Amino acid sequence: MTRAHNFSAGPAALPLEVLEQVQADLTDYQGQGLSVMEMSHRGKTFVEIAERAEADLRALLDVPDNYHVLFLSGGASLQFAAVPLNLAGAEQAVDYVHTGSWSAKAIDEAQKLASVNIAASAEGSNFAHIPAPEEWRLTPDAAYVHICANETIGGVEFHQFPDTGTVPLVADMSSTILSRPVDVSQFGLIYAGAQKNIGPAGLTIVIVRDDLVGHARAGTPSLLDYAPQVKNGSMYNTPPTFSWYIAGLVFAWLRQQGGLTAMAEINQRKAAKLYAAIDTSNFYQCPVVPEFRSWMNVPFTLADDALDKAFLAGAEEAGMLNLKGHRSVGGMRASIYNAVPEAAVDALIDYMQSFEKSHG
Ligand SMILES: Cc1ncc(COP(=O)(O)O)c(C=O)c1O
C-alpha cells in the first residue's frame, strides 16, 4: 500500500490509524453484524459512539460545562446563516472582521439576515495581515463579533483572540480547530466544518454557550435553531452518523497523541520549518505577514508562475498531492493539518529545494 502525502485543504488527510480502524469495523462493527452506517442513530450502540465522541472532544478542548457541543450537518456555510438567526434580531447590529475569502462569505450571508457592520478589514494589505483589535470599530450593543480564526485560502490566522467584553465572540474555526489548545470560555460560539481537522465532510461542530441558545428569531427553521438540537442531543433529525463515528475515532487518536498541547508543538514545528524553507530561498515567497501566518494552510508562490505546472507535476510524481493554490489566488498552498505527518512536510521541503536547484 502506498499512501500519498496529502496537502489538501479539505476534505483533507485523515490519520492512517483511523482509516485502518474504520476498515476493520466496516462490515461488522464490534461483532454486531452490521456497519455503523447501517444502524439506528437512536440505538444503544450508536448512542455510545456519539456520547464517547462528545466526551473526547470536550476533554480535548476542555469545554466548560456551560457550553453545549452539537454535531450537525450543513457545513460551516450553514452556520453563516444559523449564527445571525440564533443570536441577532433582524435589525440588530452584528460586527464582522473581514480577513479574507471565508469571512467574506460569512459577511455575505449575514447581510441577508442582520445589520452587518464591518468592524475591520484587511483589504488594504490584500489580506496579508489581521487588523489590530485596538483599531476595530465595534458596535457597543452588537449581538456578537464574528471572526474567521484561520482563513483557509489566504493562510492568515489569529494567534491571539480579542477580548470583546460582554459582546459574544463568534469564531469560524473550520481550519484551525484542534490544532492547538484554545480557551473556549473566550467565545460565545465556535463552529467548524469537519473536513479538515475533525473527520469526513458532512459533519459540523458547534460549541455554544448555554445562554445563547433559545433565542432564535421567529420563523427560524427548526434545523437552523440550536434549541431543538440541544434538546435532542443533536438528533432532532438523523445526524451524519458515519462522519460522527469517524470524528470520534479522530478525537481518540488525538488524545493518544497527547492531546492539543502535543499537537500544537508538532504543528508549530511543521509550519516553522516550511516557512523557513520559503523565507530562506529567493525562489519561493509567502505573501502573508509573518506574525499572522497560519500553522495549517501555507500559501506560497514560485518566482515565475510559468513554472507552476512543472512544480505540481513533479510533486505529484514524488507522491505529493493537492498543492495547487485555491483558484481565486493561484500559486501553491500546502495544508498541513494534524493528520499530515511531519515526514510529509520534510518531503515537501526536500522537493522544493531540489526543484529550485533545477529550475531556479
Ligand atoms: C474557514 C472556512 N469556513 C467555512 C468553510 C465552508 O465550509 P463548508 O464547506 O463545510 O460549508 C470552509 C471550507 O473550506 C473554510 O475553510
Side-chain angles (χ1 to χ4, degrees), residues 97-128:
V97 179
H98 183 198
T99 48
S101 308
W102 287 110
S103 48
K105 288 213 162 169
I107 289 165
D108 282 350
E109 198 71 350
Q111 275 169 339
K112 300 175 190 166
L113 299 163
S115 173
V116 172
N117 166 50
I118 309 293
S121 168
E123 204 163 4
S125 70
N126 199 20
F127 304 105

Side-chain angles (χ1 to χ4, degrees), residues 94-100 103-104 107 111 116-125 127 129-139 144-148 151 158 162:
V94 293
D95 286 339
Y96 277 71
V97 179
H98 183 198
T99 48
S103 48
I107 289 165
Q111 275 169 339
V116 172
N117 166 50
I118 309 293
S121 168
E123 204 163 4
S125 70
F127 304 105
H129 84 298
I130 288 169
E134 307 80 68
E135 291 161 19
W136 296 4
R137 295 169 304 276
L138 297 171
T139 314
Y144 59 85
V145 180
H146 180 281
I147 60 169
C148 178
E151 290 279 1
F158 280 80

